[in-house]
């Protein structure tokens, strides 16, 4: 079975959906949940699911991303993951880090990539007058939110939607999409997963 490390920064609802999907018959299992925020709510959720956790607080490293990432790598080397899933991990990773894990690292992003890389994706979709919004799971490369897309889920935008209502509508689809893509990915199946409207 493939060993999966999940990197989080916040509540970790996508992490929970990934862990819950990795049942005993699944070709992968969670070996570590790693956070850059020692206070992240997802850490307690991971512990409740019996997944080992670790935090590398990014703040003492200041602008030194290389040193922060060296500490991440130390934690990862102990857990020996085959695959890394970024799940609401809100630190930008350097090309050195993404190169090291090339072909072995996935991310979920709350937009229909290649639209709206970066932050504030729901607001930007509303501002653009989009009728359709969604989320994407992609392979991580050096280009932020720019790697090959492996799956997407779509929702309709209504005229009264706000960034908050869109986020709330999209999250349950994220929770379906990410485990579905991970399952295909660990079995070497690179066909796109498509969900929703
Ligand atoms: C999710 O909506 C995820 O798509 C987004 O953060 C949220 C994390 O929620 N990720 C990004 O914005 C990545 N740049 P969670 O902690 O409950 O999974």
């Amino acid at each position: 079975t493939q060993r999966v490390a999940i990197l989080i920064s916040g509540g970790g609802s996508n992490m929970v959906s990934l862990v819950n999907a990795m049942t005993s018959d699944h070709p992968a299992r969670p070996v570590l949940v790693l956070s850059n925020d020692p206070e992240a709510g997802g850490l307690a959720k991971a512990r409740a699911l019996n997944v080992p956790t670790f935090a590398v607080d990014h703040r003492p490293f200041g602008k030194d991303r290389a040193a922060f990432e060296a500490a991440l790598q130390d934690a990862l080397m102990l857990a020996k993951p085959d695959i890394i899933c970024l799940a609401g991990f809100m630190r930008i990773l350097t090309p050195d880090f993404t190169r090291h894990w090339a072909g072995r690292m996935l991310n979920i992003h709350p937009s229909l990539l290649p639209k709206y890389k970066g932050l504030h994706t729901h607001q930007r979709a509303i501002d653009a007058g989009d009728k359709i919004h969604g989320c994407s799971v992609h392979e991580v490369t050096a280009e932020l939110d720019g790697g090959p897309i492996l799956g997407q889920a779509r929702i309709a935008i209504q005229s009264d939607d706000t960034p908050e209502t869109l986020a709330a509508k999209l999250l349950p689809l994220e929770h379906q999409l990410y485990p579905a893509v991970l399952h295909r990915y660990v079995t070497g199946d690179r066909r796109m997963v498509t969900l929703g409207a």
Side-chain angles (χ1 to χ4, degrees):
T1 73
Q2 303 267 299
R3 301 168 63 84
V4 177
I6 305 171
L7 271 57
I8 66 167
S9 298
S13 70
N14 277 289
M15 175 277 295
V16 169
S17 77
L18 289 169
V19 169
N20 282 334
M22 287 185 260
T23 47
S24 54
D25 57 338
H26 194 282
R29 66 189 175 96
V31 295
L32 178 67
V33 169
L34 179 56
S35 174
N36 66 292
D37 179 357
E39 308 293 319
L43 288 171
K45 293 177 194 167
R47 283 192 290 271
L49 290 163
N50 293 312
V51 181
T53 62
F54 197 74
V56 178
D57 189 345
H58 67 278
R59 287 167 298 188
F61 296 97
K63 287 186 178 18
D64 192 349
R65 286 188 191 271
F68 166 62
E69 289 177 355
L72 288 182
Q73 293 285 30
D74 286 345
L76 290 168
M77 287 310 142
L78 291 172
K80 297 185 176 58
D82 300 297
I83 293 173
I84 294 179
C85 289
L86 306 181
F89 185 71
M90 302 306 281
R91 304 303 298 171
I92 289 175
L93 295 166
T94 69
D96 280 343
F97 192 94
T98 57
R99 248 194 310 273
H100 181 92
W101 293 100
R104 299 183 289 164
M105 182 156 57
L106 307 181
N107 179 44
I108 188 158
H109 181 75
S111 80
L112 290 175
L113 292 172
K115 282 184 156 183
Y116 314 132
K117 297 171 182 176
L119 298 177
H120 312 299
T121 58
H122 309 306
Q123 185 68 60
R124 287 156 69 198
I126 291 169
D127 291 348
D130 291 357
K131 299 283 182 276
I132 301 286
H133 186 46
C135 56
S136 308
V137 175
H138 64 94
E139 258 184 47
V140 177
T141 62
E143 188 198 344
L144 180 70
D145 300 325
I149 297 168
L150 299 166
Q152 291 187 315
R154 286 174 170 70
I155 58 169
I157 300 184
Q158 311 295 345
S159 55
D160 58 352
D161 269 319
T162 64
E164 290 73 28
T165 64
L166 279 185
K169 285 186 210 175
L170 197 54
L171 209 48
L173 280 166
E174 295 189 35
H175 298 162
Q176 288 181 47
L177 181 69
Y178 209 170
V181 172
L182 177 65
H183 193 285
R184 281 197 182 179
Y185 198 76
V186 297
T187 56
D189 182 348
R190 294 293 182 274
R191 283 174 303 157
M192 274 274 281
V193 179
T194 306
L195 298 176

Short mmCIF file of all heavy atoms in Angstrom, two decimals, residues 86 89-90 92 98 107-119 121 124 136-149:
data_model
loop_
_atom_site.label_atom_id
_atom_site.label_comp_id
_atom_site.label_asym_id
_atom_site.label_seq_id
_atom_site.Cartn_x
_atom_site.Cartn_y
_atom_site.Cartn_z
N LEU A 86 -1.61 17.94 -0.50
CA LEU A 86 -1.82 19.25 0.10
C LEU A 86 -3.33 19.43 0.24
O LEU A 86 -4.07 19.28 -0.74
CB LEU A 86 -1.23 20.35 -0.78
CG LEU A 86 0.25 20.20 -1.17
CD1 LEU A 86 0.68 21.41 -2.03
CD2 LEU A 86 1.14 20.08 0.06
N PHE A 89 -3.36 23.54 2.50
CA PHE A 89 -2.02 23.95 2.97
C PHE A 89 -1.71 25.30 2.34
O PHE A 89 -1.69 25.43 1.12
CB PHE A 89 -0.97 22.91 2.57
CG PHE A 89 0.41 23.20 3.10
CD1 PHE A 89 0.68 23.07 4.46
CD2 PHE A 89 1.44 23.59 2.26
CE1 PHE A 89 1.94 23.33 4.97
CE2 PHE A 89 2.71 23.85 2.75
CZ PHE A 89 2.97 23.72 4.11
N MET A 90 -1.53 26.33 3.16
CA MET A 90 -1.55 27.71 2.67
C MET A 90 -0.16 28.36 2.62
O MET A 90 -0.05 29.58 2.60
CB MET A 90 -2.52 28.56 3.52
CG MET A 90 -3.95 28.03 3.52
SD MET A 90 -4.68 27.78 1.86
CE MET A 90 -5.10 29.47 1.45
N ILE A 92 3.27 28.77 0.28
CA ILE A 92 3.83 28.55 -1.05
C ILE A 92 5.11 27.73 -0.92
O ILE A 92 5.95 28.01 -0.06
CB ILE A 92 4.09 29.90 -1.76
CG1 ILE A 92 2.74 30.52 -2.13
CG2 ILE A 92 4.97 29.72 -3.00
CD1 ILE A 92 2.85 31.91 -2.73
N THR A 98 9.05 21.38 -4.61
CA THR A 98 8.13 20.77 -5.58
C THR A 98 8.88 19.82 -6.51
O THR A 98 8.33 18.78 -6.89
CB THR A 98 7.38 21.84 -6.39
OG1 THR A 98 8.31 22.68 -7.06
CG2 THR A 98 6.48 22.67 -5.49
N ASN A 107 -2.63 18.57 -5.01
CA ASN A 107 -3.22 19.70 -4.29
C ASN A 107 -4.68 19.82 -4.70
O ASN A 107 -5.05 19.48 -5.83
CB ASN A 107 -2.48 20.99 -4.66
CG ASN A 107 -3.06 22.22 -3.97
OD1 ASN A 107 -3.36 22.18 -2.76
ND2 ASN A 107 -3.24 23.30 -4.71
N ILE A 108 -5.51 20.31 -3.78
CA ILE A 108 -6.87 20.69 -4.15
C ILE A 108 -6.98 22.20 -4.07
O ILE A 108 -6.50 22.83 -3.12
CB ILE A 108 -7.95 19.99 -3.29
CG1 ILE A 108 -9.34 20.29 -3.86
CG2 ILE A 108 -7.82 20.34 -1.81
CD1 ILE A 108 -10.40 19.28 -3.47
N HIS A 109 -7.60 22.76 -5.11
CA HIS A 109 -7.69 24.22 -5.22
C HIS A 109 -9.14 24.60 -5.51
O HIS A 109 -9.78 23.99 -6.37
CB HIS A 109 -6.77 24.71 -6.34
CG HIS A 109 -6.79 26.19 -6.50
ND1 HIS A 109 -6.14 27.04 -5.62
CD2 HIS A 109 -7.39 27.00 -7.41
CE1 HIS A 109 -6.34 28.29 -5.99
NE2 HIS A 109 -7.10 28.30 -7.06
N PRO A 110 -9.67 25.64 -4.82
CA PRO A 110 -11.08 25.97 -4.96
C PRO A 110 -11.41 26.86 -6.16
O PRO A 110 -11.99 27.93 -6.01
CB PRO A 110 -11.40 26.65 -3.63
CG PRO A 110 -10.12 27.29 -3.23
CD PRO A 110 -9.03 26.38 -3.72
N SER A 111 -11.04 26.40 -7.35
CA SER A 111 -11.47 27.05 -8.59
C SER A 111 -11.38 26.03 -9.71
O SER A 111 -10.76 24.97 -9.55
CB SER A 111 -10.60 28.26 -8.94
OG SER A 111 -9.38 27.85 -9.54
N LEU A 112 -11.99 26.39 -10.83
CA LEU A 112 -11.85 25.56 -12.03
C LEU A 112 -10.56 26.00 -12.74
O LEU A 112 -10.57 26.86 -13.61
CB LEU A 112 -13.08 25.72 -12.94
CG LEU A 112 -14.37 25.10 -12.40
CD1 LEU A 112 -15.54 25.43 -13.31
CD2 LEU A 112 -14.23 23.60 -12.22
N LEU A 113 -9.45 25.44 -12.31
CA LEU A 113 -8.17 25.77 -12.94
C LEU A 113 -8.25 25.48 -14.44
O LEU A 113 -8.96 24.57 -14.84
CB LEU A 113 -7.05 24.94 -12.28
CG LEU A 113 -6.76 25.32 -10.82
CD1 LEU A 113 -5.79 24.32 -10.20
CD2 LEU A 113 -6.18 26.74 -10.73
N PRO A 114 -7.62 26.29 -15.29
CA PRO A 114 -6.58 27.27 -14.95
C PRO A 114 -7.10 28.64 -14.50
O PRO A 114 -6.29 29.55 -14.31
CB PRO A 114 -5.79 27.40 -16.26
CG PRO A 114 -6.81 27.14 -17.32
CD PRO A 114 -7.72 26.10 -16.75
N LYS A 115 -8.40 28.77 -14.30
CA LYS A 115 -8.92 30.04 -13.77
C LYS A 115 -8.55 30.20 -12.29
O LYS A 115 -8.60 29.23 -11.53
CB LYS A 115 -10.44 30.07 -13.87
CG LYS A 115 -10.99 30.37 -15.25
CD LYS A 115 -12.51 30.47 -15.22
CE LYS A 115 -13.03 31.32 -16.36
NZ LYS A 115 -14.50 31.48 -16.26
N TYR A 116 -8.27 31.44 -11.90
CA TYR A 116 -8.19 31.85 -10.50
C TYR A 116 -7.18 31.05 -9.67
O TYR A 116 -7.52 30.45 -8.66
CB TYR A 116 -9.59 31.80 -9.85
CG TYR A 116 -10.65 32.43 -10.70
CD1 TYR A 116 -11.86 31.78 -10.95
CD2 TYR A 116 -10.43 33.65 -11.31
CE1 TYR A 116 -12.83 32.33 -11.76
CE2 TYR A 116 -11.39 34.22 -12.14
CZ TYR A 116 -12.58 33.56 -12.35
OH TYR A 116 -13.53 34.10 -13.17
N LYS A 117 -5.95 31.04 -10.14
CA LYS A 117 -4.86 30.55 -9.30
C LYS A 117 -4.69 31.51 -8.13
O LYS A 117 -5.02 32.69 -8.23
CB LYS A 117 -3.57 30.47 -10.12
CG LYS A 117 -3.69 29.48 -11.28
CD LYS A 117 -2.50 29.56 -12.23
CE LYS A 117 -2.73 28.57 -13.37
NZ LYS A 117 -1.67 28.65 -14.39
N GLY A 118 -4.19 31.00 -7.01
CA GLY A 118 -3.95 31.88 -5.86
C GLY A 118 -5.15 31.99 -4.95
O GLY A 118 -5.92 31.04 -4.80
N LEU A 119 -5.33 33.18 -4.38
CA LEU A 119 -6.30 33.37 -3.29
C LEU A 119 -7.62 33.99 -3.78
O LEU A 119 -7.72 34.43 -4.92
CB LEU A 119 -5.69 34.27 -2.20
CG LEU A 119 -4.44 33.70 -1.52
CD1 LEU A 119 -3.88 34.73 -0.53
CD2 LEU A 119 -4.73 32.38 -0.80
N THR A 121 -10.61 32.91 -4.57
CA THR A 121 -11.14 32.34 -5.81
C THR A 121 -12.64 32.54 -5.94
O THR A 121 -13.14 32.78 -7.04
CB THR A 121 -10.80 30.85 -5.87
OG1 THR A 121 -11.35 30.21 -4.71
CG2 THR A 121 -9.29 30.63 -5.92
N ARG A 124 -13.45 36.13 -6.85
CA ARG A 124 -13.03 36.42 -8.23
C ARG A 124 -14.00 35.81 -9.24
O ARG A 124 -14.28 36.42 -10.29
CB ARG A 124 -11.59 35.95 -8.44
CG ARG A 124 -10.58 36.85 -7.73
CD ARG A 124 -9.28 36.16 -7.42
NE ARG A 124 -8.48 35.86 -8.59
CZ ARG A 124 -7.49 34.96 -8.61
NH1 ARG A 124 -7.20 34.28 -7.51
NH2 ARG A 124 -6.81 34.77 -9.71
N SER A 136 -10.59 21.99 -8.26
CA SER A 136 -9.70 21.15 -9.07
C SER A 136 -8.71 20.43 -8.17
O SER A 136 -8.23 21.00 -7.18
CB SER A 136 -8.90 22.01 -10.05
OG SER A 136 -9.75 22.84 -10.82
N VAL A 137 -8.38 19.19 -8.53
CA VAL A 137 -7.23 18.50 -7.95
C VAL A 137 -6.18 18.39 -9.05
O VAL A 137 -6.51 18.02 -10.18
CB VAL A 137 -7.61 17.12 -7.39
CG1 VAL A 137 -6.37 16.38 -6.90
CG2 VAL A 137 -8.63 17.26 -6.26
N HIS A 138 -4.96 18.76 -8.70
CA HIS A 138 -3.90 18.76 -9.70
C HIS A 138 -2.60 18.28 -9.09
O HIS A 138 -2.42 18.31 -7.87
CB HIS A 138 -3.72 20.17 -10.29
CG HIS A 138 -3.27 21.19 -9.30
ND1 HIS A 138 -1.95 21.51 -9.10
CD2 HIS A 138 -3.97 21.93 -8.40
CE1 HIS A 138 -1.87 22.42 -8.14
NE2 HIS A 138 -3.07 22.70 -7.70
N GLU A 139 -1.70 17.86 -9.98
CA GLU A 139 -0.34 17.55 -9.56
C GLU A 139 0.38 18.86 -9.29
O GLU A 139 0.20 19.84 -10.02
CB GLU A 139 0.40 16.80 -10.67
CG GLU A 139 0.49 15.32 -10.45
CD GLU A 139 1.30 14.62 -11.52
OE1 GLU A 139 2.40 15.10 -11.88
OE2 GLU A 139 0.80 13.61 -12.03
N VAL A 140 1.20 18.87 -8.25
CA VAL A 140 1.92 20.09 -7.89
C VAL A 140 3.23 20.17 -8.66
O VAL A 140 4.02 19.22 -8.65
CB VAL A 140 2.18 20.15 -6.38
CG1 VAL A 140 2.99 21.39 -6.03
CG2 VAL A 140 0.86 20.14 -5.62
N THR A 141 3.42 21.30 -9.33
CA THR A 141 4.69 21.62 -9.99
C THR A 141 5.18 22.94 -9.42
O THR A 141 4.54 23.53 -8.54
CB THR A 141 4.50 21.74 -11.52
OG1 THR A 141 3.60 22.84 -11.77
CG2 THR A 141 3.93 20.46 -12.12
N ALA A 142 6.29 23.44 -9.97
CA ALA A 142 6.86 24.69 -9.46
C ALA A 142 5.92 25.87 -9.68
O ALA A 142 5.97 26.85 -8.95
CB ALA A 142 8.22 24.95 -10.10
N GLU A 143 5.06 25.78 -10.70
CA GLU A 143 4.14 26.88 -10.98
C GLU A 143 2.94 26.80 -10.03
O GLU A 143 2.23 25.79 -10.00
CB GLU A 143 3.65 26.83 -12.43
CG GLU A 143 2.83 28.06 -12.81
CD GLU A 143 1.97 27.87 -14.05
OE1 GLU A 143 2.22 26.89 -14.79
OE2 GLU A 143 1.05 28.66 -14.26
N LEU A 144 2.68 27.87 -9.26
CA LEU A 144 1.61 27.85 -8.26
C LEU A 144 0.28 27.50 -8.91
O LEU A 144 -0.16 28.16 -9.86
CB LEU A 144 1.52 29.24 -7.60
CG LEU A 144 0.43 29.38 -6.52
CD1 LEU A 144 0.77 28.58 -5.28
CD2 LEU A 144 0.19 30.83 -6.19
N ASP A 145 -0.37 26.44 -8.39
CA ASP A 145 -1.69 25.99 -8.88
C ASP A 145 -1.67 25.71 -10.38
O ASP A 145 -2.70 25.81 -11.06
CB ASP A 145 -2.78 27.02 -8.54
CG ASP A 145 -2.90 27.26 -7.05
OD1 ASP A 145 -2.72 26.31 -6.28
OD2 ASP A 145 -3.17 28.41 -6.66
N GLY A 146 -0.50 25.34 -10.91
CA GLY A 146 -0.34 25.24 -12.36
C GLY A 146 -0.09 23.86 -12.91
O GLY A 146 0.02 23.71 -14.12
N GLY A 147 -0.01 22.82 -12.08
CA GLY A 147 0.34 21.49 -12.58
C GLY A 147 -0.82 20.79 -13.28
O GLY A 147 -1.94 21.30 -13.29
N PRO A 148 -0.55 19.64 -13.87
CA PRO A 148 -1.57 18.89 -14.62
C PRO A 148 -2.83 18.62 -13.79
O PRO A 148 -2.75 18.18 -12.64
CB PRO A 148 -0.87 17.57 -14.96
CG PRO A 148 0.59 17.87 -14.90
CD PRO A 148 0.76 18.97 -13.90
N ILE A 149 -3.98 18.91 -14.39
CA ILE A 149 -5.26 18.76 -13.69
C ILE A 149 -5.70 17.30 -13.76
O ILE A 149 -5.71 16.69 -14.83
CB ILE A 149 -6.31 19.70 -14.31
CG1 ILE A 149 -5.87 21.16 -14.12
CG2 ILE A 149 -7.68 19.46 -13.66
CD1 ILE A 149 -6.68 22.15 -14.95
#
